[in-house]
Structures are given as structure tokens and as C-alpha cells.
Amino acid sequence: MEGEEGVQQPQLVLANNLFLLSQNDVDDIEKVRLRDEVFNFIVANDMAPLYETLVGNKVLDLDQKTLDLMRSKNDDELKKLEEKIADAEENLGESEVREAHLAKSLFYIRIGDKEKALEQLKITEGKTVAVGQKMDLVFYTLQIGFFHMDFDLISKSIDKAKNLFEEGGDWERKNRLKVYEGLYCMSTRNFKKAADLFLDSISTFTTYELFPYDTFIFYTGLTSIISLDRVSLKQKVVDAPEILTVIGKIPYLSDFLNSLYDCQYKSFFTAFAGLTQHIKLDRYLHPHFRYYMREIRTVVYSQFLESYKSVTIEAMAKAFGVTVDFIDLELSRFIAAGKLHCKIDKVAGVLETNRPDAKNALYQSTIKQGDFLLNRIQKLSRVIDL
């Protein structure tokens, strides 16, 4: 399961193919190719437990002869692994015993038996002393969690990894954990924390088992653009050397970032339209597609309106390359939801911004909290006097 440099973990490639098979936006011809690819991978790795699950979910058709053959191979390999464990316990040392149990864990992971894999990883952990090796077992557990999108398992494993790091641990594993946690945050709609963790990991990225570096930069750009202010975006993303070296390989991403920073809103919407299909067909971002679409539009509309005390709806529509009716409908929704601080004068065809005064809001908050504190002190003084 450990990723070689530049190579994604094969089971996670399989998970992505299974996700694409469930999407209506993928055409039928592509689904036929994906289904063949999934079946061939399952047969090549003798993944009988996963095959049974997929047949039960009507993802694949049942081939009883193939299933029986895979089960037979699984039984033979499991028997050899158990013999190896017994031999290690009788004739060899603790290190060899641990390695034998680890091999059994990796076998269950390879064939896609989630429950037995997790159970065997716990047994292997009991035979493990070194903190670094325990961390590697947590990474295996995290990869199982991401394969099945089991966020409870992922969350508990991340907490466990952080507790292990308090006992020690090297920087390479700590940096890898940041990417795992960032992917978890992005998958659970915590884009701000995901962006911070991804940006911290740009120069130390080695987590190729999760996804290629290009995909990592794609996630970093998408999460940063709705999380950072304009100055930070320029410094940490737009001008970052690590991002500049690969951003050209990712369709539309360069235009997406640069046109927003350069206030080229028509180009931004064009690039955004090109990215939407990529976002929709990403298994981690797909559940948050509509939310992300709303957030990015909030960012770009807010940036445009910040430059004006008032502006005509026609001028804004022209800047974005859309119709007046579209902008009117869009802004009315965001204003009603409290996302934009402006109002529409439909008669005059003008947008008037009413940006909140941050200093005044802070002053009002201080007064309110001060009054609350004084009331508490007065109540306490009465009790003391009694």
C-alpha cells in the first residue's frame, strides 16, 4: 500500500474508477471501459470479498467460476501466511513475528476485506514497538478509510497519529500526515483548514500513494481561492514557485487563479466553467460541488463590489460576460442569504454596496461584552455582601 514516488496507490485508483461508474455524467462507452478495468484489476489481485460486494450492489455481473477461483487462491495464500506466523512464533524473534502479521494485514488490504484488515492491523500493532512503524500502520488504516470514505475511521486514525507523534516520530511522516488530514478536511467541507495544511505541505510533498503531485496542486488551488484573502493568495499560491512549475499541466487552473487576482472576470467565468466538470467528477469534491460553486461565486462577486460604492447592474454584467437578468437573479439570492453586503435598486438599475464597518462592529461587540461582564460582577458582589 505504500506509494512509490509518483505512483498512486492502486486500490485508490480502483476506488476512483468505482466512483466514476456511479456517475450519470460519465458516458456509457467510458463506463464499459471502466467496468472492464475494474473487473480485470479485481481478478488480478484475487479480490474475492470486494467482488462479492460489487456483485451484490449490481456494479458488476456475477461470474461464479471466477469467484470460486479467487476464493481458492485466497484460501491457499491465507494458509501459507498462517503457517509463516506459526513458524515465526515458534522459531524466530519478535521482529519476524511482526513482519509475518504485517504480511497477513497487507493480504487482507489487497483483497479488499475491510473488517479483517482492520482487525489484523490491530494485532500487528500489538506486536509493534517502534513509533515510526506504528505510524505506518495508521497510514494503512487511513488508506482503507479513504477507499471506503469512512470518515469516522479517518478522524479517529488522524487523532491516533497525532497522539503517536507526541511520543516521537520523524518529520517525513509528520508532513505526510498533514496531506492526509488536509484531504480529510477537504472531504468534510473544511476548506480553510484543508488549504492551510496543503500549503504547509507544498515543498515537502511525498504522499504519492494518495494522489499525484498535479492533483495535490489542483486541490491546493481550489481550497485556497475560497479561503485566502487576495494578498495571501498572490503570495502563497499565484506566485508560489512549486505551484508555477506544474500549474500549466492542469487544464484551466492557471486562468482560474490568475484571472481572479487580475480582476479579469470574464476570463475567470470561462475558466471556472472548464473546471466544473473536473470538480464534479472528483470523488472527494463531488459531494460539495454545489456548495463550492456558491462559495467561489461569493468570493468573485465580493471582490468586484469592493471596488465600488455603487455600480450599474449592466456594467457588472458586462464585466462578467453574462446578461443583466442573470446577474440580477444571482445577486438577489446571495444578498438574501447574507453572503453579499449590497442592495439592488431595480428602478435605477444600480447596485449600492453597504460594507459593514469592521471597527464599529468590534466596538459594539466590546460594549456588549463589557455590559455583560459588569452585570455578572454586580450579581457576584451582592452574593458576597450577603
Side-chain angles (χ1 to χ4, degrees):
M1 294 271 292
E2 286 181 342
E4 299 171 15
E5 183 169 338
V7 179
Q8 188 177 6
Q9 206 281 321
Q11 263 81 353
L12 292 180
V13 176
L14 172 64
N16 189 60
N17 288 340
L18 289 171
F19 164 76
L20 292 174
L21 278 174
S22 68
Q23 298 305 302
N24 295 328
D25 292 316
V26 178
D27 61 55
D28 292 339
I29 294 174
E30 179 66 8
K31 282 186 177 181
V32 170
R33 186 192 69 79
L34 286 168
R35 196 171 283 111
D36 289 342
E37 192 174 317
V38 166
F39 179 75
N40 292 335
F41 182 86
I42 285 172
V43 172
N45 290 277
D46 301 316
M47 304 176 77
L50 181 63
Y51 182 60
E52 290 180 80
T53 302
L54 294 176
V55 168
N57 293 334
K58 299 188 181 338
V59 177
L60 296 177
D61 298 324
L62 175 62
D63 183 334
Q64 191 63 49
K65 185 178 178 181
T66 301
L67 179 58
D68 292 340
L69 180 61
M70 287 193 291
R71 281 174 175 166
S72 176
K73 287 182 178 180
N74 288 169
D75 291 341
D76 291 343
E77 190 168 351
L78 187 58
K79 186 178 178 182
K80 289 177 184 177
L81 288 167
E82 287 173 346
E83 287 174 356
K84 188 176 179 181
I85 290 171
D87 178 58
E89 288 175 341
E90 288 178 20
N91 305 312
L92 302 172
E94 292 179 359
S95 176
E96 287 79 8
V97 171
R98 179 196 175 275
E99 290 302 315
H101 278 287
L102 177 60
K104 189 176 178 181
S105 302
L106 296 179
F107 163 73
Y108 282 130
I109 291 171
R110 195 197 79 211
I111 66 172
D113 194 328
K114 178 186 176 184
E115 301 307 322
K116 288 184 178 178
L118 293 174
E119 183 183 334
Q120 187 60 37
L121 282 168
K122 284 183 181 178
I123 295 171
T124 306
E125 185 184 0
K127 310 286 183 183
T128 305
V129 177
V131 173
Q133 290 179 332
K134 286 184 178 181
M135 272 302 310
D136 289 338
L137 297 178
V138 174
F139 285 129
Y140 288 131
T141 305
L142 283 166
Q143 289 166 28
I144 293 171
F146 280 118
F147 181 89
H148 294 280
M149 298 299 266
D150 185 340
F151 294 125
D152 184 53
L153 176 63
I154 294 168
S155 177
K156 288 177 180 176
S157 298
I158 289 171
D159 291 340
K160 184 177 181 179
K162 289 179 178 178
N163 291 332
L164 281 171
F165 279 135
E166 291 178 5
E167 300 174 23
D170 59 85
W171 282 105
E172 193 270 337
R173 288 185 175 93
K174 286 183 180 180
N175 289 327
R176 283 178 65 201
L177 182 64
K178 284 183 182 178
V179 180
Y180 278 86
E181 187 178 3
L183 182 58
Y184 166 70
C185 290
M186 187 184 76
S187 303
T188 53
R189 205 177 284 184
N190 188 349
F191 291 115
K192 176 72 173 73
K193 189 172 183 182
D196 292 340
L197 289 164
F198 286 153
L199 288 168
D200 281 347
S201 308
I202 283 181
S203 59
T204 57
F205 180 83
T206 57
T207 322
Y208 296 100
E209 69 272 18
L210 279 183
F211 36 62
Y213 190 65
D214 292 2
T215 304
F216 171 69
I217 295 301
F218 174 69
Y219 291 153
T220 303
L222 290 186
T223 53
S224 296
I225 206 166
I226 62 171
S227 305
L228 302 180
D229 59 65
R230 193 161 178 267
V231 175
S232 298
L233 186 70
K234 174 72 169 173
Q235 180 186 353
K236 296 180 179 180
V237 181
V238 176
D239 289 342
E242 296 88 353
I243 291 178
L244 289 172
T245 56
V246 298
I247 197 170
K249 300 176 185 176
I250 305 166
Y252 302 107
L253 187 59
S254 179
D255 290 341
F256 183 64
L257 287 168
N258 289 301
S259 58
L260 176 65
Y261 182 78
D262 295 335
C263 303
Q264 302 294 325
Y265 300 112
K266 193 180 293 187
S267 300
F268 174 83
F269 261 37
T270 303
F272 186 40
L275 277 176
T276 51
Q277 191 71 359
H278 196 169
I279 297 169
K280 192 184 291 186
L281 292 180
D282 185 282
R283 67 189 294 254
Y284 303 110
L285 290 169
H286 174 78
H288 317 295
F289 176 70
R290 291 184 181 278
Y291 172 83
Y292 188 84
M293 292 279 284
R294 287 195 302 272
E295 288 299 302
I296 195 65
R297 276 143 60 203
T298 302
V299 169
V300 72
Y301 293 148
S302 296
Q303 180 173 298
F304 178 86
L305 292 170
E306 276 177 11
S307 304
Y308 302 96
K309 177 78 175 170
S310 64
V311 62
T312 63
I313 301 176
E314 186 179 352
M316 186 172 180
K318 188 176 180 181
F320 282 90
V322 294
T323 64
V324 170
D325 289 340
F326 176 84
I327 282 291
D328 183 46
L329 181 62
E330 279 274 275
L331 296 187
S332 61
R333 288 173 179 168
F334 286 109
I335 293 168
K339 294 282 189 180
L340 294 177
H341 301 288
C342 66
K343 59 183 179 180
I344 301 173
D345 185 340
K346 186 69 174 175
V347 176
V350 172
L351 292 164
E352 295 180 4
T353 59
N354 52 355
R355 291 186 291 275
D357 187 339
K359 288 185 179 179
N360 190 46
L362 182 61
Y363 172 75
Q364 294 294 338
S365 175
T366 304
I367 294 294
K368 187 176 180 180
Q369 291 175 13
D371 287 343
F372 178 72
L373 178 61
L374 287 172
N375 289 335
R376 293 290 299 272
I377 291 171
Q378 286 174 353
K379 288 179 182 178
L380 182 61
S381 67
R382 291 193 201 106
V383 174
I384 294 171
D385 288 343
L386 288 173

